[in-house]
Amino acid sequence: MFNSVKRIALATSVSIAALSTAAFASEEIVFSEIDVTAVMGAAENANALDVFPEIVTDLEQAIASRVQTGSDASLPTIKIDIRQISLNGNPMLTSLEGFNEISGVVAIADDNNSIGAQSFAVNIAAYPGDQIVPEGFVAVQPSEDDFYNAMIAGFADTVLQRIDTINTK
């Protein structure tokens, strides 16, 4: 089942990336910092950080490649707290199985109040096209070879889509 889940994600990721590129044409918010943490201590037997220790860094880099950043500390920041990484709801992963759900909370902080403080949940799930996706999740369908990158890209693209809806003053 998981193999069939992974087949279409590359096309989905490419489509999302193309849509994201179009978003760069609008006025962009410049961010001073992108900080991703993963606090999954509440989930019993959660081992995603042991199986995928690079996930925090990879997600930071994926988001940084999609937004403008600057060195002025007064610029808004993006803080992301990854709260769940699982395979069909099970937080106990093996490297062979991978994962098909990632959830977190994104907080946009702005000390200068040019965009205000905002937060939103991001839930990404990879399921076959004929399977029902849990409510509140955005579905991506990774290719067999690229599920990890598709999940990271899906999360980063969803963050970018939400940032693009922020009204600047």
Side-chain angles (χ1 to χ4, degrees):
M1 177 183 143
F2 189 66
N3 287 335
S4 66
V5 168
K6 300 186 277 181
R7 291 199 191 339
I8 304 173
L10 189 57
T12 303
S13 296
V14 170
S15 297
I16 291 173
L19 291 173
S20 298
T21 304
F24 283 119
S26 63
E27 182 180 331
E28 287 189 63
I29 301 168
V30 179
F31 295 93
S32 65
E33 179 184 13
I34 301 164
D35 181 33
V36 178
T37 58
V39 182
M40 295 174 282
E44 188 174 323
N45 296 325
N47 68 340
L49 296 179
D50 296 330
V51 177
F52 300 104
E54 68 285 351
I55 195 164
V56 168
T57 302
D58 290 345
L59 189 53
E60 281 178 356
Q61 291 173 348
I63 293 169
S65 72
R66 288 163 170 77
V67 299
Q68 285 190 5
T69 57
S71 59
D72 183 350
S74 67
L75 293 170
T77 61
I78 301 172
K79 297 197 183 290
I80 299 172
D81 178 19
I82 300 300
R83 300 202 173 159
Q84 178 185 349
I85 298 172
S86 61
L87 179 61
N88 297 324
N90 183 356
M92 182 56 81
L93 306 177
T94 69
S95 59
L96 298 176
E97 293 174 321
F99 62 95
N100 68 344
E101 297 173 350
I102 182 170
S103 300
V105 175
V106 178
I108 307 294
D110 180 16
D111 294 338
N112 292 331
N113 204 28
S114 62
I115 60 171
Q118 301 184 34
S119 66
F120 50 89
V122 174
N123 302 304
I124 303 297
Y127 288 96
D130 60 344
Q131 187 171 347
I132 297 173
V133 177
E135 184 176 336
F137 279 78
V138 174
V140 296
Q141 297 175 335
S143 69
E144 195 164 318
D145 297 328
D146 206 29
F147 86 94
Y148 178 86
N149 291 332
M151 294 297 290
I152 296 297
F155 195 101
D157 290 339
T158 301
V159 170
L160 180 64
Q161 289 170 356
R162 293 293 301 269
I163 287 171
D164 284 344
T165 66
I166 294 173
N167 293 324
T168 58
K169 294 182 181 180

